[in-house]
Amino acid sequence: MKTQQYLVKPGKAVKLSAWNTDDDGSLDKADAPPLLTQMQQELAHWQERLHAESKQALLVVLQARDAAGKDGVVKNVIAAFNPNGVSVSNFKVPTEEEKAHDFLWRVHARAPRHGLIGVFNRSHYEDVLVTRVYDMIDSKTAERRLAQIRNFEELLADSGTRIVKIYLHISPDEQKQRLQDRLDDPEKHWKFNPGDLKDREKWDKFTAAYEDALSTSTEVAPWYVVPADRKWYRDLVISQVLLDTLKDMNPQYPEITFDPSKITIK
Amino acid sequence: MKTQQYLVKPGKAVKLSAWNTDDDGSLDKADAPPLLTQMQQELAHWQERLHAESKQALLVVLQARDAAGKDGVVKNVIAAFNPNGVSVSNFKVPTEEEKAHDFLWRVHARAPRHGLIGVFNRSHYEDVLVTRVYDMIDSKTAERRLAQIRNFEELLADSGTRIVKIYLHISPDEQKQRLQDRLDDPEKHWKFNPGDLKDREKWDKFTAAYEDALSTSTEVAPWYVVPADRKWYRDLVISQVLLDTLKDMNPQYPEITFDPSKITIK
């Protein structure tokens, strides 16, 4: 599977209207499950190597509008990894303590150590998205934060952390359908947040803010705009992106400091 | 499946030699995979309810000798849960900072918040096990720590955290076989730690220390001695214990504060 077409090329401006939300890669939905299962096995294998090597880390940043599938990606893709080596951080509205620090403080504390995979379910990008749409910060502050984010991600990259940033690209119609599903199914009521409708009304302002956020795509911390209207295709694309990334990191089993043939277990 | 026979009854002394390591519950290994798959689905369902409710937490403590299968349990059983709602903490040799605090400080910081499942892969019990076997603390200190552990676990329980403690019970022969496998298979070399052989030589001292640790089995934080010579049976037993625990906690989807029929999505 090719994923290059979903990569935001560093330095290139993004117009989201030009990116598809409903690609299916000319694949059949019926073919997806075995493909996903195979990739999950490969992901687990590469994670074990990453863990054994313990010299690099992988940070996956998930950003999206409500109901675009962040939780679904965690449940279907991230679940492929051994829970011992992966940690999901959910960033909510900042606490008083968090607000009393710079905006990168709380995310920095959750950066994965070598050998681990960290997943940010929402992230430091909220501080240039929701804050901006609701005029909690001005454009100048947003610009400064985007520069600070670039520096921060470079710092992580310099110490061996590979960063992959995923924007789940959903259409307004598909979002409407999914929010309606949450209203219609009693077992999904708890997932419905009336506040999501306010965000939906500000669709275009969010689009503009996302387009600026996507400008932070760099070689060491690329953004992918993943078509998210079809859940099964979204999962395949993200699995492939993570697999390609892990293979490129190419973690190695460590050299051992003992001679196995000379050890006798009594 | 019944698991009651593996529960350490509160107040009852444990002689590990009287507990089987190779039980199979009169089950066939070939029947295990579909049974495990079904339980994994049920575990995922109950975790979603726990998460939706967000008024209780579950803490799973895994303790065992080397190669007894702690990592295997995380990989095969804990993996059933949505990664969004579970967090595995691996406690290694304490850092300087950790040693400058009381022994419960670092584990307390990793206690799961309401709605989440926390897994301790090794735990505060190391501070009455390895420390004791290697004479880093005396019996009096160990006794005091065991009392402090009881108080600590009661504190967690009082605020809605259910605790399940699992001791993976393996035989010396099975451990020998597994350590030898790590020496024989180059892809497993990184898992072999020559220090494990030192622990193995102190088998009986560890047994005595575990027996004392198991005396902290209480209503709110019970110990289970799980037969661990057969990996497939071990996974089934632990899945069943967790499932029974979650069902007993009986988390409920929260009442909603809005009327779904009155909401129109534009």
Side-chain angles (χ1 to χ4, degrees):
Chain A
M1 238 178 104
K2 296 262 185 261
T3 62
Q4 207 59 20
Q5 67 269 39
Y6 307 123
L7 171 71
V8 176
K9 297 210 176 58
K12 218 181 151 196
V14 173
K15 269 280 154 222
L16 279 174
S17 56
W19 295 67
N20 272 334
T21 58
D22 65 348
D23 269 12
D24 61 5
S26 307
L27 290 171
D28 248 348
K29 185 179 175 180
D31 296 331
L35 265 175
L36 186 65
T37 302
Q38 201 205 313
M39 284 202 274
Q40 284 174 327
Q41 285 165 1
E42 288 185 61
L43 285 169
H45 167 75
W46 284 95
Q47 180 201 19
E48 181 178 282
R49 294 177 70 118
L50 185 78
H51 185 68
E53 182 196 64
S54 279
K55 286 186 181 166
Q56 305 176 79
L58 174 63
L59 173 59
V60 183
V61 172
L62 296 175
Q63 281 293 153
R65 301 176 201 259
D66 301 304
K70 292 187 300 299
D71 291 346
V73 169
V74 171
K75 196 172 170 180
N76 302 334
V77 180
I78 302 304
F81 297 122
N82 183 331
N84 234 340
V86 66
S87 170
V88 181
S89 303
N90 291 280
F91 295 102
K92 314 269 182 192
V93 176
T95 63
E96 286 303 312
E97 178 71 15
E98 288 168 351
K99 276 192 283 190
H101 291 83
D102 68 87
F103 77 103
L104 293 171
W105 180 75
R106 65 176 186 161
V107 291
H108 206 162
R110 300 288 300 166
R113 55 171 286 159
H114 289 167
L116 297 193
I117 297 174
V119 178
F120 286 180
N121 192 349
R122 298 188 189 275
S123 68
H124 41 300
Y125 283 97
E126 288 299 325
D127 293 290
V128 289
L129 290 166
V130 69
T131 47
R132 206 171 173 189
V133 168
Y134 286 98
D135 297 321
M136 291 145 75
I137 61 169
D138 58 19
S139 291
K140 220 168 140 185
T141 305
E143 275 311 312
R144 225 165 30 235
R145 284 189 179 179
L146 287 167
Q148 285 157 344
I149 286 175
R150 276 188 211 95
N151 292 340
F152 169 64
E153 292 178 351
E154 212 174 282
L155 170 74
L156 296 188
D158 270 359
S159 73
T161 299
R162 191 68 164 259
I163 305 168
V164 174
K165 300 179 289 194
I166 309 275
Y167 169 64
L168 300 175
H169 190 32
I170 193 177
S171 68
D173 285 350
E174 179 65 22
Q175 188 196 48
K176 184 177 180 179
Q177 186 56 52
R178 292 187 191 175
L179 292 175
Q180 191 61 52
D181 286 349
R182 291 180 182 180
L183 288 173
D184 295 344
D185 179 351
E187 291 217 344
K188 288 183 179 168
H189 281 167
W190 67 281
K191 291 186 185 178
F192 186 84
N193 174 5
D196 294 352
L197 298 182
K198 260 174 53 197
D199 288 355
R200 183 172 160 81
E201 281 168 25
K202 296 184 181 290
W203 189 274
D204 294 339
K205 275 193 97 172
F206 267 105
T207 299
Y210 268 114
E211 288 173 344
D212 277 354
L214 292 166
S215 74
T216 60
S217 195
T218 59
E219 289 287 340
V220 296
W223 272 110
Y224 288 84
V225 176
V226 175
D229 281 358
R230 300 172 203 257
K231 295 175 182 176
W232 61 270
Y233 187 64
R234 166 202 80 193
D235 291 342
L236 289 181
V237 170
I238 296 174
S239 297
Q240 187 69 57
V241 166
L242 298 184
L243 199 48
D244 292 346
T245 304
L246 282 165
K247 282 183 183 173
D248 190 58
M249 292 167 76
N250 198 21
Q252 301 296 317
Y253 288 107
E255 306 237 354
I256 48 175
T257 53
F258 53 89
D259 179 351
S261 69
K262 293 218 171 99
I263 293 176
T264 310
I265 304 170
K266 291 186 199 98
Chain B
M1 237 179 104
K2 296 261 185 261
T3 61
Q4 207 59 19
Q5 68 269 39
Y6 307 124
L7 172 71
V8 176
K9 296 210 175 59
K12 220 183 148 195
V14 172
K15 268 279 154 220
L16 280 174
S17 55
W19 296 67
N20 272 335
T21 57
D22 65 348
D23 268 12
D24 61 6
S26 306
L27 290 171
D28 249 348
K29 185 179 176 180
D31 295 331
L35 265 175
L36 185 65
T37 302
Q38 201 206 312
M39 285 202 273
Q40 284 174 329
Q41 285 164 2
E42 289 184 61
L43 284 169
H45 167 75
W46 283 96
Q47 181 201 18
E48 182 179 281
R49 295 177 69 117
L50 185 79
H51 185 67
E53 181 196 65
S54 280
K55 286 185 181 167
Q56 305 176 77
L58 174 62
L59 173 59
V60 182
V61 171
L62 295 176
Q63 281 291 156
R65 301 176 201 258
D66 302 304
K70 292 186 301 296
D71 291 345
V73 169
V74 170
K75 195 171 170 179
N76 301 333
V77 179
I78 302 305
F81 298 121
N82 183 330
N84 234 340
V86 65
S87 170
V88 181
S89 303
N90 291 281
F91 295 102
K92 313 268 183 191
V93 176
T95 63
E96 286 305 312
E97 178 71 15
E98 289 168 351
K99 277 191 281 187
H101 291 84
D102 68 86
F103 78 104
L104 293 171
W105 180 75
R106 64 174 186 162
V107 290
H108 206 163
R110 300 286 301 165
R113 56 170 287 158
H114 288 167
L116 297 193
I117 297 174
V119 178
F120 286 180
N121 191 349
R122 299 187 189 275
S123 68
H124 41 299
Y125 283 96
E126 288 298 325
D127 293 290
V128 290
L129 290 166
V130 68
T131 47
R132 206 170 174 190
V133 169
Y134 286 97
D135 297 321
M136 291 146 76
I137 60 169
D138 59 20
S139 291
K140 221 170 139 181
T141 304
E143 274 312 310
R144 225 168 26 238
R145 285 191 178 178
L146 287 167
Q148 285 157 344
I149 286 175
R150 275 188 211 95
N151 293 340
F152 169 64
E153 293 178 350
E154 213 174 279
L155 170 74
L156 297 187
D158 270 359
S159 73
T161 299
R162 192 68 164 260
I163 305 168
V164 174
K165 300 178 291 193
I166 309 273
Y167 170 63
L168 301 174
H169 191 31
I170 193 178
S171 68
D173 284 350
E174 180 65 22
Q175 188 196 46
K176 183 177 179 177
Q177 186 56 52
R178 293 188 191 175
L179 292 175
Q180 190 63 52
D181 286 349
R182 292 181 181 179
L183 288 174
D184 296 344
D185 179 351
E187 290 217 343
K188 288 185 180 166
H189 282 166
W190 66 280
K191 292 186 185 176
F192 187 85
N193 174 3
D196 293 351
L197 298 182
K198 258 175 55 198
D199 288 355
R200 183 171 160 82
E201 282 169 23
K202 296 184 181 293
W203 189 275
D204 294 339
K205 275 194 95 173
F206 268 105
T207 299
Y210 267 113
E211 287 173 346
D212 278 354
L214 292 166
S215 74
T216 60
S217 196
T218 60
E219 289 288 340
V220 295
W223 272 108
Y224 288 84
V225 175
V226 174
D229 281 359
R230 299 172 204 257
K231 296 176 182 176
W232 62 269
Y233 186 64
R234 166 202 80 193
D235 291 342
L236 289 180
V237 170
I238 295 174
S239 297
Q240 187 69 58
V241 166
L242 297 184
L243 199 49
D244 292 345
T245 304
L246 282 164
K247 284 183 183 174
D248 191 59
M249 291 166 77
N250 198 21
Q252 302 294 318
Y253 288 107
E255 306 239 352
I256 49 175
T257 53
F258 53 88
D259 180 351
S261 69
K262 294 220 170 100
I263 292 176
T264 311
I265 304 169
K266 290 187 199 99

